[in-house]
């Protein structure tokens, strides 16, 4: 059944969107955090080498004979050698006066002694890391302040950072992929609980109104509790209506039985033909209404049970024999023979109550339409499908309406004079359909109707 | 035959009683469960007709107690319930058969006959007359020592005639008893069955006489 409920959004989509979106944001954060941290660490590396180089240059400065001597040690530059052949620039100032190197290097206000100050600036068309440090030299009678600036391009650093960024990006993407998988898994596990509940509700037939007892997650508890209470109320009202139908049938049928019995008894005493005719019509009308009532009840029961067959493994031959035994007195009244032809047990899985009802309706028809002294043949076959075929020697089906006869309240054009409600074949057809089978109507070549019910 | 009818509805009971008496049966009526137990404990019945919904209880409890008390009197249940599950439950409880209200008297009679024949242990109501032995329960006619198998309608027709030899039965009356109300053919078909009975009775001293415009009569030479 797919009677749609109004739908607004999807829990699954919402959950997936939130979880995957969250994972994406986290992956980006992670990427930037790793890259930032790596940049910082790499920068620190460069800074400490630059610092060491500046310090070693400053250390080499000395005042000798009243002049400042600054011999830049070779090691100071060699320690700055990188794989990427980064360029190094230097400048030296004495008390703010430029002494040597690249004059364009911007001097920096240094604070303490030998405390290097680091900046990143643009120089010679490339970003450079600039470190500036000062040292106060004290001679015999003078004090002078030497400032050294050392700058290095950042090609090697940029290369390292690129590598780290790539790895961070891969790491972030991996994290994202994993988190997405986790999100789908978590979502389907959560939604799975709901679907399982849905399946167990769907699988139930209208007869199964017992409460759900399988444990469910705490969040679904209230839902299941209210479902169970709904089931309880439904069960109650169904039981009530079933009782009501049974009671109603009793209330209607008992007076009908009274009228019928009186009419029959009176018929035994009355001689006048017109009175007898009236009494006979009375009996027939009663039969008609009571038969309609039974078949309506049967039909209601079949509609009720068809969604949820109470299947058992049964022997069709047994079931037919039992029905035949039960119907023999009625057949006897009209001197009809019920002949059962079965090779052996035919087992199948079916709802015995529904099946009995269907076969009974077909047999009733066969008995009603058979001429006196006739034979009703009942064949039970196992191959290719379990099948029961009931053939009479009556007037047969009207040829042009074979397909429509199983419709509700449809009766053949040649059914005059025979009591019926037009529901018998409908019942048989509904039962066959509920079992995944079919009901086939045909006429025997030698005359008479054949109804075959296959499962 | 002796019947017990357990039925609380007075009109229906009255109708069944009068019809049963027409057929020449003896029938007691118990309107409640209590009465039913009292009747069943004291009287010997060939068959019990039992309604299910009674003012002081459920007919099924009678059935259960009746079977538990080792009574094997056959029971036919009269039920207004047509649910098949009900019917099956009744047979499980030991009912021999059931009819759904409103029932056809001929069907009730046929079912009684079938149940009695199946039981075959109850009192026999064999008639011996003019060289024939007729056992309506077994459905058997013996003419001068030869067993004749009777069809149901022949049997019912003979049963009517042999119970009242010398009485005139109109065609209509016989037709009403022999055919159900769905059969429009009835009255002329009676001649067919009379003809068959005449053939069966050929060797005996019994003879079916046709009385023009009056009906038929069984005569005993």
């Amino acid at each position: 059944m797919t009677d749609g409920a109004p739908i607004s959004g999807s829990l699954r989509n919402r959950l997936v969107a939130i979880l995957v979106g969250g994972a994406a944001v986290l992956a980006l954060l992670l990427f930037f955090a790793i890259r930032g941290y790596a940049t910082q660490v790499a920068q620190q590396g460069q800074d400490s080498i630059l610092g060491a180089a500046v310090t070693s240059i400053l250390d080499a400065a000395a005042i000798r004979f009243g002049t400042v001597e600054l011999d830049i040690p070779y090691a100071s530059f060699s320690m700055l050698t990188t794989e990427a052949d980064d360029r190094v620039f230097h400048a030296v100032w004495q008390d703010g006066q430029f002494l040597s190197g690249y004059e364009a290097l911007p001097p920096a206000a240094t604070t303490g002694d030998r405390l290097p100050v680091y900046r990143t600036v643009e120089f010679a068309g490339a970003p450079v890391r600039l470190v500036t440090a000062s040292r106060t030299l004290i001679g015999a009678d003078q004090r002078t302040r030497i400032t050294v600036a050392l700058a290095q391009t950042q090609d090697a650093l940029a290369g390292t950072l690129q590598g780290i960024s790539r790895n961070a990006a891969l790491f972030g993407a991996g994290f994202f992929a994993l988190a997405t998988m986790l999100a789908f898994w978590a979502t389907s596990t959560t939604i799975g609980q709901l679907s399982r509940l849905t399946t167990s509700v769907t699988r139930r037939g209208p007869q199964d109104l017992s409460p759900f007892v399988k444990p469910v997650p705490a969040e679904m508890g209230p839902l299941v509790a209210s479902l169970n209470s709904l089931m309880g109320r439904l069960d109650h009202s169904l039981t009530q209506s079933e009782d009501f139908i049974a009671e109603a049938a009793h209330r209607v049928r008992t007076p009908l039985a009274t009228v019928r019995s009186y009419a029959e008894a009176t018929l035994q005493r009355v001689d006048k033909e017109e009175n007898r005719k009236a009494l006979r019509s009375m009996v027939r009308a009663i039969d008609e209404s009571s038969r309609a009532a039974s078949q309506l009840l049967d039909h209601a029961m079949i509609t009720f049970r068809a969604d949820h067959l109470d299947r058992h493994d049964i022997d069709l031959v047994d079931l037919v024999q039992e029905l035949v035994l039960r119907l023999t007195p009625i057949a006897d009244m009209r001197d009809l023979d019920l002949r059962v032809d079965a090779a052996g047990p035919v087992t199948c899985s079916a709802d015995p109550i529904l099946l009995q009802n269907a076969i009974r309706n077909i047999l009733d028809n066969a008995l009603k339409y058979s001429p006196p002294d006739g034979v009703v043949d009942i064949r039970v076959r196992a191959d290719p499908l379990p099948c029961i075929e009931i053939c009479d020697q009556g007037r047969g089906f009207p040829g042009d309406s074979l397909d429509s006869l199983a419709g509700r309240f449809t009766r053949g054009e040649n059914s005059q004079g025979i009591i019926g409600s037009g529901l018998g074949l409908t019942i048989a057809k509904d039962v066959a359909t509920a079992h995944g089978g079919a009901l086939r109507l045909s006429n025997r070549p030698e005359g008479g109707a054949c109804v075959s019910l296959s499962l | 035959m002796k019947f017990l009818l357990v039925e609380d509805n007075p009109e229906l009971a009255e109708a069944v009683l009068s019809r049963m008496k027409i057929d020449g049966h003896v029938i007691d009526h118990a309107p409640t469960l209590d009465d039913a137990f009292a009747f069943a404990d004291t009287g010997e019945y060939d068959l019990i007709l039992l309604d299910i919904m009674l003012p002081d209880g459920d007919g099924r409890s009678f059935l259960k107690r009746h079977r538990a008390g080792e009574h094997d009197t056959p029971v036919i249940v009269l039920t207004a319930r047509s649910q098949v599950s009900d019917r099956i439950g009744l047979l499980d409880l030991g009912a021999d058969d059931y009819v759904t209200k409103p029932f056809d008297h001929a069907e009730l009679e046929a079912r009684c006959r079938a149940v009695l024949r199946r039981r075959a242990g109850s009192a026999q109501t064999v008639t011996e007359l003019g060289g024939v032995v007729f056992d309506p329960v077994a459905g058997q006619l013996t003419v001068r020592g030869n067993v004749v198998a009777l069809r149901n309608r022949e049997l019912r027709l003979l049963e009517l005639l042999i119970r009242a030899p010398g009485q005139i039965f109109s065609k209509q009356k016989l037709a009403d008893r022999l055919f159900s109300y769905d059969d429009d053919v009835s009255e002329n078909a009676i001649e067919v069955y009379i003809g068959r009975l005449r053939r069966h009775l050929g060797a005996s001293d019994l003879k079916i006489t046709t009385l023009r415009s009056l009906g038929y009569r069984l005569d005993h030479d």
Side-chain angles (χ1 to χ4, degrees):
Chain A
M1 281 189 284
T2 50
D3 3 350
I7 285 181
S8 147
S10 143
L11 267 186
R12 176 190 292 271
N13 291 353
R14 235 179 280 176
L15 261 177
V16 167
I18 290 171
L19 288 174
V20 171
V25 170
L26 278 181
L28 277 178
L29 278 178
L30 192 72
F31 169 72
F32 285 115
I34 291 178
R35 211 181 60 158
Y37 185 63
T39 313
Q40 202 185 343
V41 169
Q43 195 64 70
Q44 268 170 6
Q46 191 187 25
D47 285 356
S48 57
I49 298 173
L50 276 171
V54 163
T55 310
S56 71
I57 293 171
L58 280 177
D59 280 345
I63 297 181
R64 194 166 291 172
F65 312 115
T67 47
V68 174
E69 275 186 13
L70 181 58
D71 223 354
I72 297 179
Y74 173 73
S76 322
F77 286 102
S78 72
M79 76 169 83
L80 288 170
T81 313
T82 62
E83 283 168 28
D85 287 332
D86 275 313
R87 287 172 293 156
V88 175
F89 311 98
H90 77 279
V92 181
W93 294 272
Q94 184 183 9
D95 293 331
Q97 291 296 117
F98 177 74
L99 282 187
S100 72
Y102 294 83
E103 196 176 1
L105 274 181
T110 54
T111 46
D113 224 19
R114 300 192 186 201
L115 272 180
V117 174
Y118 303 96
R119 283 186 297 161
T120 303
V121 297
E122 193 76 21
F123 185 75
V128 293
R129 188 65 173 171
L130 175 72
V131 55
T132 316
S134 307
R135 181 180 168 204
T136 308
L137 297 174
I138 300 170
D141 52 354
Q142 67 179 134
R143 262 176 103 83
T144 185
R145 190 171 173 82
I146 301 291
T147 303
V148 174
L150 204 56
Q152 187 183 29
T153 54
Q154 291 186 301
D155 293 347
L157 184 76
T160 314
L161 282 180
Q162 213 169 17
I164 290 175
S165 293
R166 202 168 40 237
N167 287 337
L170 279 177
F171 187 69
F175 173 80
F176 177 71
L178 202 68
T180 305
M181 277 188 327
L182 274 174
F184 277 105
W185 177 72
T187 310
S188 56
T189 319
T190 315
I191 301 293
Q193 295 282 355
L194 270 179
S195 332
R196 237 163 286 153
L197 182 66
T198 310
T199 316
S200 64
V201 174
T202 317
R203 275 210 194 129
R204 284 170 168 234
Q207 287 214 308
D208 185 4
L209 294 173
S210 56
F212 294 93
V213 287
K214 270 193 195 160
V216 289
E219 292 75 8
M220 278 159 66
L223 172 67
V224 172
S226 40
L227 257 181
N228 281 346
S229 116
L230 180 68
M231 291 283 186
R233 276 175 286 154
L234 206 59
D235 192 25
H236 181 66
S237 65
L238 271 180
T239 316
Q240 261 186 338
S241 48
E242 268 179 86
D243 286 352
F244 177 77
I245 289 175
E247 180 69 24
H250 179 79
R251 296 273 169 220
V252 171
R253 285 191 167 155
T254 306
L256 276 181
T258 310
V259 178
R260 196 190 197 284
S261 300
Y262 268 126
E264 274 193 84
T266 313
L267 200 54
Q268 301 300 315
R269 299 194 194 98
V270 171
D271 287 324
K272 215 171 161 190
E273 187 48 36
E274 56 191 82
N275 293 345
R276 299 176 59 84
K277 218 172 148 188
L279 282 168
R280 258 195 234 113
S281 325
M282 206 163 127
V283 171
R284 288 181 63 127
I286 293 165
D287 284 353
E288 194 114 23
S289 57
S290 79
R291 198 178 160 80
S294 324
Q295 291 201 316
L296 281 172
L297 283 178
D298 283 354
H299 190 250
M301 179 191 70
I302 282 155
T303 317
F304 181 70
R305 290 178 72 111
D307 278 345
H308 184 62
L309 293 181
D310 188 12
R311 280 182 190 269
H312 296 274
D313 283 331
I314 50 167
D315 180 5
L316 276 186
V317 180
D318 263 3
L319 188 124
V320 167
Q321 297 279 22
E322 205 176 292
L323 267 172
V324 165
L325 188 68
R326 158 87 190 144
L327 289 174
T328 301
I330 295 180
D332 275 350
M333 285 166 56
R334 312 196 59 208
D335 284 340
L336 296 171
D337 277 334
L338 295 171
R339 230 166 26 200
V340 180
D341 168 19
V346 177
T347 37
C348 64
S349 158
D351 188 324
I353 289 182
L354 286 194
L355 207 54
Q356 216 165 18
N357 213 314
I359 300 170
R360 198 201 145 104
N361 270 291
I362 304 173
L363 277 174
D364 271 349
N365 277 346
L367 291 179
K368 277 194 307 181
Y369 289 94
S370 282
D373 284 319
V375 176
V376 174
D377 280 307
I378 305 156
R379 269 186 292 272
V380 187
R381 293 271 175 275
D383 288 320
L385 287 167
C387 166
I388 299 160
E389 192 181 41
I390 294 166
C391 297
D392 61 37
Q393 298 170 330
R395 46 185 96 166
F397 295 113
D400 50 344
S401 54
L402 279 180
D403 297 328
S404 62
L405 275 177
R408 220 175 279 179
F409 303 115
T410 312
R411 301 194 66 202
E413 286 160 17
N414 58 355
S415 60
Q416 295 90 355
I418 298 205
I419 290 170
S421 63
L423 270 175
L425 287 178
T426 314
I427 289 170
K429 191 185 173 194
D430 287 354
V431 170
T433 314
H435 283 83
L439 187 77
R440 252 172 247 103
L441 309 182
S442 57
N443 281 322
R444 282 169 146 184
E446 67 268 31
C450 263
V451 178
S452 115
L453 187 153
S454 60
L455 295 175
Chain B
M1 263 183 282
K2 200 175 174 194
F3 290 84
L4 172 63
L5 171 69
V6 186
E7 167 64 63
D8 63 319
N9 185 302
E11 282 89 23
L12 178 59
E14 181 52 45
V16 174
L17 290 179
S18 66
R19 175 64 201 263
M20 284 289 190
K21 282 172 189 162
I22 289 177
D23 289 349
H25 300 300
V26 177
I27 182 160
D28 287 332
H29 174 218
T32 64
L33 212 54
D34 271 349
D35 293 341
F37 283 125
F39 273 114
D41 285 343
T42 52
E44 280 283 310
Y45 293 99
D46 292 308
L47 208 142
I48 297 172
L49 303 173
L50 174 70
D51 183 25
I52 283 298
M53 289 196 193
L54 292 166
D56 55 344
D58 194 313
R60 276 172 280 206
S61 57
F62 174 85
L63 201 53
K64 242 185 266 177
R65 224 178 96 180
H66 184 69
R67 286 286 173 256
E70 309 218 328
H71 294 287
D72 64 349
T73 320
V75 175
I76 292 181
V77 170
L78 315 174
T79 171
R81 302 177 169 215
S82 73
Q83 296 283 339
V84 188
S85 44
D86 271 358
R87 300 174 187 164
I88 291 168
L90 290 170
L91 296 185
D92 285 345
L93 279 177
D96 290 81
D97 207 345
Y98 57 83
V99 282
T100 11
K101 292 178 190 174
F103 44 84
D104 181 346
H105 231 289
E107 183 190 334
L108 179 62
E109 209 186 297
R111 293 205 177 279
C112 291
R113 200 189 303 277
V115 164
L116 289 173
R117 193 180 313 154
R118 231 181 297 153
R119 290 295 186 116
S122 49
Q124 301 286 302
T125 48
V126 177
T127 311
E128 286 192 54
L129 190 69
V132 305
V133 181
F134 177 53
D135 179 353
V137 173
Q140 223 175 48
L141 175 71
T142 317
V143 182
R144 304 238 177 263
N146 298 322
V147 176
V148 181
L150 292 181
R151 299 287 280 169
N152 186 275
R153 279 174 175 161
E154 296 161 18
L155 185 149
R156 275 152 59 209
L157 184 59
L158 180 59
E159 198 181 8
L160 283 172
L161 295 173
I162 213 167
R163 204 184 291 138
Q167 186 183 320
I168 302 167
F169 290 90
S170 72
K171 258 190 189 178
Q172 297 141 350
K173 220 162 238 179
L174 291 177
D176 282 338
R177 302 297 299 276
L178 250 53
F179 300 104
S180 65
Y181 299 92
D182 340 348
D183 292 321
D184 276 337
V185 275
S186 340
E187 292 186 10
N188 288 333
I190 282 289
E191 287 165 20
V192 176
Y193 291 94
I194 291 282
R196 288 188 193 172
L197 267 192
R198 279 185 175 139
R199 258 202 319 282
H200 292 318
L201 294 174
S204 71
D205 299 336
L206 298 177
K207 194 173 79 192
I208 300 171
T209 318
T210 310
L211 300 149
R212 196 157 296 279
S213 79
L214 282 176
Y216 302 96
R217 188 180 62 201
L218 185 74
D219 288 324
H220 180 202
D221 295 339

